[in-house]
Amino acid sequence: AQSVTQLDSHVSVSEGTPVLLRCNYSSSYSPSLFWYVQHPNKGLQLLLKYTSAATLVKGINGFEAEFKKSETSFHLTKPSAHMSDAAEYFCVVHLYNNNDMRFGAGTRLTVKP
Amino acid sequence: DAGVIQSPRHEVTEMGQEVTLRCKPISGHDYLFWYRQTMMRGLELLIYFNNNVPIDDSGMPEDRFSAKMPNASFSTLKIQPSEPRDSAVYFCASRKQGAEQYFGPGTRLTVT
């Protein structure tokens, strides 16, 4: 079985400081992993994806994530938070060999001025 | 491509009425998903289709909910009769085999 756990339901940072949103997954096989962002009253937008190529994945808006198989983690980072980064972030695991995509519970990022 | 298209964007209806939500997936995508999002339960997968065939509807709350996909470019999610607890944002998403999902803007449903 596969699952995904977002370790923090809410993260608050100050503008200009680093962002770390944590995600751990469990999967019997090599998964594909994604991060989505949802701004208030908007749909979900793909931020970045890992599909067994480079373990460090760069996404939009300066975000990146590193796939660490030994730690079964796929944490999302950004060096310097911007006010516009305030949103809900979802980590998603997908097994290519089946059609099951599991969404994490989401992490709400607050950015303080 | 215009992305995943959903209509209506907002729907307000009275309890007991029938509600139909519509979705047009991205052309060439062979998977279509319906999700429901609420503050209490977060994002829930209701049902998904592959090549217009329903594959897994285990997330559909009860018999009041039904979904169809008559062709590759159109799907509906129907609630009959609607209840206040059905109030939520309903998202449609589509993707190709093994690729990421693309979400529509959602339909905000309010049942009074």
Side-chain angles (χ1 to χ4, degrees):
Chain A
Q2 59 177 358
S3 67
V4 58
T5 302
Q6 292 184 241
L7 298 165
D8 307 291
S9 61
H10 186 207
V11 170
S12 181
V13 300
S14 296
E15 191 175 21
T17 64
V19 176
L20 170 64
L21 306 183
R22 298 182 294 166
C23 173
N24 284 100
Y25 70 93
S26 65
S27 175
S28 301
Y29 305 95
S30 295
S32 293
L33 294 157
F34 308 86
W35 276 98
Y36 284 83
V37 60
Q38 184 180 27
H39 288 92
N41 300 313
K42 300 289 187 183
L44 281 75
Q45 179 186 15
L46 181 67
L47 205 53
L48 51 79
K49 62 180 179 180
Y50 165 77
T51 55
S52 75
T55 56
L56 182 62
V57 182
K58 294 186 184 299
I60 61 172
N61 301 333
F63 283 93
E64 60 183 39
E66 185 172 8
F67 174 70
K68 292 186 176 180
K69 187 175 181 178
S70 61
E71 299 176 9
T72 62
S73 69
F74 190 58
H75 301 335
L76 182 69
T77 60
K78 182 173 180 177
S80 176
H82 191 272
M83 295 298 291
S84 61
D85 296 327
E88 187 95 14
Y89 291 80
F90 294 92
C91 182
V92 183
V93 60
H94 175 226
L95 280 187
Y96 182 83
N97 290 334
N98 68 36
N99 299 311
D100 196 3
M101 291 187 72
R102 297 294 176 94
F103 281 74
T107 298
R108 180 169 299 277
L109 175 65
T110 300
V111 182
K112 298 175 290 186
Chain B
D1 200 313
V4 176
I5 299 172
Q6 290 186 249
S7 64
R9 294 294 308 278
H10 301 272
E11 176 81 35
V12 180
T13 190
E14 292 183 347
M15 182 175 63
Q17 297 298 306
E18 178 180 293
V19 175
T20 300
L21 311 181
R22 297 173 176 81
C23 175
K24 176 179 169 53
I26 293 173
S27 177
H29 285 191
D30 45 10
Y31 287 87
L32 183 141
F33 302 80
W34 282 102
Y35 291 88
R36 177 173 67 177
Q37 188 177 40
T38 62
M39 289 293 291
M40 292 296 294
R41 293 188 297 271
L43 194 65
E44 303 172 277
L45 175 65
L46 300 177
I47 185 172
Y48 78 88
F49 296 82
N50 177 215
N51 292 324
N52 314 338
V53 176
I55 303 299
D56 184 356
D57 65 353
S58 60
M60 296 284 263
E62 47 199 271
D63 292 344
R64 297 184 297 106
F65 285 69
S66 62
K68 294 182 180 179
M69 192 166 185
N71 57 61
S73 59
F74 183 66
S75 177
T76 60
L77 177 68
K78 186 174 294 186
I79 308 173
Q80 167 62 19
S82 58
E83 297 182 3
R85 60 190 168 125
D86 301 330
S87 297
V89 181
Y90 291 81
F91 288 104
C92 178
S94 71
R95 65 174 172 87
K96 293 181 180 179
Q97 168 73 24
E100 65 274 16
Q101 290 187 0
Y102 290 84
F103 284 79
T107 295
R108 182 174 296 277
L109 173 65
T110 303
V111 183
T112 61

